[in-house]
Amino acid sequence: MRGAVPGAGAELGAGAGRAAASRIRAGVERGQQGQRLPHLSPVLVPPPSAFPFVSGPGLAGSESEILEQSPKSPGPGKAGDAPNRRPGHILGARVESPPGRRARLASPRPSSSSEAREELRRRLLGLIERSRVVIFSKSYCPHSTRVKELFSSLGVECYVLELDQADDGAKIQEVLLEITNQKTVPNIFVNKVHVGGCDQTFQAYQSGSLQKLLQEDSAYDYDLIVIGGGSGGLSCAKEAAILGKKVMVLDFVVPSPQGTSWGLGGTCVNVGCIPKKLMHQAALLGQALHDSRKFGWEYNQQVKHSWETMTKAIQNHIRSLNFGYGLSLREKAVAYVNSYGEFVEHHKIKATNKKGQETYYTAAQFVIATGERPRYLGIQGDKEYCITSDDLFSLPYCPGKTLVVGASYVALECAGFLAGFGLDVTVMVRSILLRGFDQEMAEKVGSYMEQHGVKFLWKFIPVMVQQLEKGSPGKLKVLAKSTEGTETIEGVYNTVLLAIGRDSCTRKIGLEKIGVKINEKSGKIPVNDVEQTNVPYVYAVGDILEGKPELTPVAIQSGKLLARRLFGASLEKCDYINVPTTVFTPLEYGCCGLSEEKAIEVYKKENLEIYHTLFWPLEWTVAGRENNTCYAKIICNKFDHNRVIGFHILGPNAGEVTQGFAAAMKCGLTKQLLDDTIGIHPTCGEVFMTLEITKSSGLDITQKGCG
């Protein structure tokens, strides 16, 4: 059985476990009839492991003093009821102990040893009765550590008592032996039931019985609430529901300054990947029409593009996807609420609908998947007159002469397909294109766009946008200044599209009320390797994660795996290494792994070998399109069997080509493996099987014909 360690705390069989559970419940009932005795004062174990445990050792002050500084957790009751205190759960309160002080079960001293033993027994039973999870452990025990890590991965808060650090640790272990018939640690109790040691706990986890036990007597309305109905949030919610959990999704789109909003599915479906790729395809069809005459297609009628026809068709497709997502949630019994979610206290959120009506819900676990929205310039006229990608794809009229502000992939993709429709397009660039991507490839992307009609204004930023005429589109005057001097310029455009970056939607959802930390500059949320925030029951996925790729497939994968880890189907973590992506500019750019700049920074230039070539797609030859424009490059680590650590291609269908090579890189692709692979002829992808020229050689890579 995966996760089981032979012999780890295994002193209790199934029959003995049932008997022990009965004895414990009986003891708890007896303890409730007598004096209500104090239990261990808890301490939250700090990072680096970010265990959501409350530990016995290292106490300062009385139990009541510590509980007073603890945030409240909701108790049983209907949504909106005031929560009850759940003893033993401290979130975010770290208590330091005086030097040399050790934990013990504080109580009045009984007059005899038998009374003392009975007193200790009652206090242990009281602790077990009042705590969701108790782990009796020893700080040096590796099996205890594994159990703590398991509960941490499940986001479950635990009382942990390290017996080797407690004054009365030996006596506690003797009493535990009487109660459970188990001699070893870890000794685990969940919701008053004795689970056993390490082996039994992992076996219960693998069978699903541990998760079921954790959900017994739940004080919450839902097992999981997901805030955000985008790709990552929906993936997580649906997977959790498949695993039998009670799940809610809260999703609310705050309209853009231009009044644009959309349905379920998040950025990708509504105002991102899907409409972007469809408009990119529309522009490619225009190029294909031009090429078709060279292939014998004859037509006399004037061919023109209809913006209205295209946007209507694309929006109809998007609405069908919105409907499909809603239907999928209903089929899986996921509660979907079209309201704005905001934390009001621990485990409790306020949901506000478009009419301003408020409802309160509680959950054992939360996943934040709120995504990002386009950033504005903060200048006169930006929100009044400019649009962003939130507005472009459903714009009811052709944007006409367009200024695109920004040099991100969103800026270049939008500029590319707008130019492909025959529009007059200018891109205003503050510094460089495609920051974070391989700069050699970025320059080639920009050069191709410039050769095909897109104008670039380098080293300028807008300082004011003024409306000259109303209309659909109207006329706007843009005043801009140089980033390198005092020069100013102005221009008149029908539409100004801002694509200068995106801001995380994390600042207005009440995270500060429950202590979730965010990067104050970026708004992104730091998480550990299981997408867990600094508050143990709160997780995050998608574009709001600090230091993770902002890509839809990444959000989907991480959301799905998170649900499986939380609810018992898997321990697999999301792998954020070598994630492929493609920029859908007129000439597509696909990549996986490191950029040349990053590879040099990490491995040093002398340890790398870079193979590259220009190539001429067969489809371009008859059409008379330019040779020596498409480009392929791999970056290899010379001292790791020439392993491919960076893959880059600029050419038609770059996304399709890159996807297959990304899988190969996951398998440890090397230059020799590429050389040993026979290419498919004639394709663009086969160029990687015949790479011979290295950058270090300085040899010419221009091609005389199709390979």
Side-chain angles (χ1 to χ4, degrees):
M1 177 79 67
R2 185 175 63 179
V5 177
E11 294 281 343
L12 187 63
R18 287 190 292 272
S22 299
R23 289 197 298 273
I24 290 166
R25 286 198 170 101
V28 166
E29 291 169 2
R30 288 195 301 273
Q32 289 172 336
Q33 296 169 3
Q35 181 183 3
R36 187 86 170 174
L37 295 164
H39 58 75
L40 278 176
S41 301
V43 176
L44 189 67
V45 176
S49 303
F51 289 156
F53 300 129
V54 184
S55 178
L59 307 180
S62 69
E63 177 194 39
S64 61
E65 289 171 341
I66 295 171
L67 290 178
E68 283 173 2
Q69 60 180 297
S70 306
K72 292 184 177 181
S73 298
K78 294 179 288 187
D81 288 350
N84 298 320
R85 173 68 189 158
R86 300 181 75 200
H89 288 253
I90 284 189
L91 298 172
R94 177 140 184 230
V95 185
E96 299 293 343
S97 61
R101 184 166 182 179
R102 306 180 73 192
R104 62 188 177 86
L105 290 167
S107 67
R109 292 276 182 191
S111 58
S112 69
S113 60
S114 61
E115 289 178 354
R117 196 174 189 85
E118 185 58 30
E119 176 74 10
L120 179 60
R121 180 188 180 90
R122 283 201 304 268
R123 282 184 282 117
L124 282 175
L125 292 172
L127 172 63
I128 294 166
E129 187 269 333
R130 288 189 293 270
S131 303
R132 187 184 183 198
V133 177
V134 183
I135 302 175
F136 295 96
S137 169
K138 290 186 178 177
S139 59
Y140 54 81
C141 173
H143 307 306
S144 298
T145 299
R146 291 187 68 240
V147 169
K148 295 172 195 173
E149 290 174 344
L150 173 63
F151 283 104
S152 174
S153 72
L154 297 173
V156 175
E157 298 165 67
C158 309
Y159 269 108
V160 178
L161 177 58
E162 305 291 359
L163 298 181
D164 59 313
Q165 297 178 6
D167 287 341
D168 40 7
K171 292 180 180 178
I172 292 171
Q173 195 159 8
E174 290 175 6
V175 174
L176 285 173
L177 176 60
E178 293 175 4
I179 295 173
T180 67
N181 199 33
Q182 177 179 324
K183 297 178 181 179
T184 59
V185 294
N187 202 336
I188 298 107
F189 297 82
V190 176
N191 280 333
K192 309 174 200 176
V193 174
H194 181 239
V195 176
C198 182
D199 278 1
Q200 290 93 338
T201 302
F202 272 88
Q203 288 165 6
Y205 170 73
Q206 296 289 349
S207 70
S209 59
L210 178 64
Q211 293 84 331
K212 184 176 180 181
L213 187 58
L214 284 166
Q215 293 301 320
E216 285 186 4
D217 302 320
S218 174
Y220 306 115
D221 302 323
Y222 290 89
D223 300 314
L224 175 69
I225 290 180
V226 178
I227 305 176
S231 302
L234 293 179
S235 172
C236 184
K238 290 188 287 187
E239 192 69 19
I242 289 170
L243 294 169
K245 300 302 144 185
K246 187 180 181 183
V247 183
M248 170 182 279
V249 171
L250 286 170
D251 186 60
F252 186 87
V253 179
V254 177
S256 74
Q258 297 299 323
T260 309
S261 61
W262 49 87
L264 185 63
T267 296
C268 173
V269 170
N270 295 281
V271 291
C273 319
I274 299 300
K276 176 270 302 287
K277 180 70 182 294
L278 291 172
M279 289 195 176
H280 171 64
Q281 173 65 12
L284 292 181
L285 289 173
Q287 178 67 57
L289 279 170
H290 183 269
D291 292 347
S292 69
R293 293 185 184 274
K294 295 290 184 70
F295 285 90
W297 289 94
E298 298 177 359
Y299 48 89
N300 298 317
Q301 67 272 32
Q302 181 184 1
V303 177
K304 63 179 182 179
H305 180 262
S306 169
W307 176 272
E308 291 78 8
T309 300
M310 176 188 67
T311 53
K312 181 180 178 182
I314 290 174
Q315 289 303 311
N316 284 341
H317 175 65
I318 289 171
R319 278 190 284 272
S320 74
L321 296 177
N322 299 148
F323 177 80
Y325 283 125
L327 180 62
S328 179
L329 292 180
R330 286 194 296 274
E331 288 174 344
K332 293 175 176 59
V334 175
Y336 164 55
V337 177
N338 184 208
S339 295
Y340 187 92
E342 179 184 357
F343 286 96
V344 292
E345 60 185 60
H346 282 290
H347 291 279
K348 187 175 184 180
I349 61 166
K350 176 177 68 177
T352 307
N353 66 18
K354 62 182 179 181
K355 296 180 180 179
Q357 297 168 333
E358 298 176 354
T359 311
Y360 294 83
Y361 302 99
T362 62
Q365 317 272 11
F366 288 84
V367 172
I368 306 169
T370 47
E372 298 182 313
R373 296 292 291 271
R375 186 178 303 145
Y376 283 80
L377 289 163
I379 63 172
Q380 180 182 333
D382 63 344
K383 291 187 177 179
E384 293 87 349
Y385 308 124
C386 300
I387 67 170
T388 68
S389 56
D390 280 357
D391 312 294
L392 177 64
F393 302 111
S394 59
L395 201 66
Y397 54 84
C398 180
K401 182 180 180 181
T402 302
L403 173 68
V404 179
V405 181
S408 64
Y409 70 89
V410 175
L412 298 187
E413 288 174 337
C414 292
F417 64 66
L418 290 175
F421 303 149
L423 302 182
D424 184 337
V425 179
T426 301
V427 179
M428 185 177 287
V429 182
R430 183 186 64 178
S431 54
I432 62 173
L433 301 179
L434 297 177
R435 186 178 300 278
F437 287 87
D438 187 290
Q439 283 303 291
E440 180 183 29
M441 306 302 290
E443 289 171 10
K444 289 180 180 295
V445 167
S447 176
Y448 182 86
M449 291 178 66
E450 205 161 18
Q451 291 168 21
H452 287 76
V454 177
K455 296 185 285 291
F456 284 85
L457 285 171
W458 297 95
K459 310 291 184 180
F460 278 93
I461 56 172
V463 293
M464 184 181 70
V465 179
Q466 180 182 358
Q467 188 179 60
L468 299 179
E469 294 179 13
K470 292 184 178 180
S472 301
K475 282 189 178 180
L476 303 172
K477 183 171 76 172
V478 178
L479 179 66
K481 69 175 183 179
S482 170
T483 61
E484 298 181 328
T486 59
E487 181 185 2
T488 62
I489 59 172
E490 62 179 47
V492 176
Y493 305 91
N494 298 119
T495 299
V496 177
L497 172 66
L498 303 181
I500 58 172
R502 299 173 66 81
D503 292 322
S504 298
C505 300
T506 57
R507 299 188 190 276
K508 296 181 180 180
I509 57 173
L511 295 182
E512 71 283 354
K513 294 176 183 175
I514 59 170
V516 173
K517 293 178 181 177
I518 66 170
N519 182 312
E520 289 301 327
K521 183 178 180 181
S522 67
K524 289 187 176 290
I525 300 178
V527 295
N528 60 16
D529 62 350
V530 291
E531 288 80 46
Q532 187 179 41
T533 72
N534 64 299
V535 174
Y537 65 87
V538 180
Y539 296 79
V541 296
D543 292 356
I544 58 175
L545 296 189
E546 186 173 57
K548 300 294 190 292
E550 298 178 16
L551 297 166
T552 295
V554 173
I556 293 171
Q557 177 82 334
S558 62
K560 178 175 65 177
L561 294 179
L562 171 59
R564 290 178 180 176
R565 289 194 308 275
L566 286 177
F567 302 116
S570 171
L571 292 175
E572 184 181 356
K573 301 173 186 177
C574 185
D575 183 359
Y576 293 99
I577 305 300
N578 287 341
V579 175
T581 190
T582 293
V583 182
F584 289 98
T585 39
L587 190 57
E588 296 177 10
Y589 164 38
C591 60
C592 183
L594 300 181
S595 66
E596 188 172 337
E597 293 82 5
K598 190 66 177 179
I600 291 171
E601 177 188 329
V602 173
Y603 293 99
K604 307 304 178 187
K605 188 172 183 178
E606 61 270 20
N607 297 324
L608 303 174
E609 198 70 86
I610 299 172
Y611 296 84
H612 66 150
T613 188
L614 293 165
F615 65 96
W616 196 15
L618 179 63
E619 297 87 342
W620 287 25
T621 55
V622 172
R625 297 174 68 179
E626 51 272 79
N627 193 0
N628 295 310
T629 298
C630 299
Y631 180 67
K633 173 170 73 173
I634 59 170
I635 305 164
C636 300
N637 182 354
K638 289 195 291 189
F639 296 99
D640 185 17
H641 308 286
N642 254 347
R643 193 170 308 283
V644 179
I645 58 173
F647 174 95
H648 303 269
I649 181 171
L650 184 67
N653 303 304
E656 309 296 339
V657 175
T658 303
Q659 185 68 81
F661 284 99
M665 287 179 68
K666 284 288 186 186
C667 298
L669 180 66
T670 64
K671 178 62 169 68
Q672 187 60 54
L673 286 170
L674 284 173
D675 294 343
D676 293 344
T677 302
I678 297 172
I680 301 172
H681 185 71
T683 63
C684 292
E686 69 174 317
V687 69
F688 288 96
M689 315 311 162
T690 57
L691 288 173
E692 296 177 347
I693 300 175
T694 64
K695 276 196 171 184
S696 59
S697 73
L699 296 176
D700 182 21
I701 60 170
T702 57
Q703 302 295 306
K704 306 306 180 189
C706 178

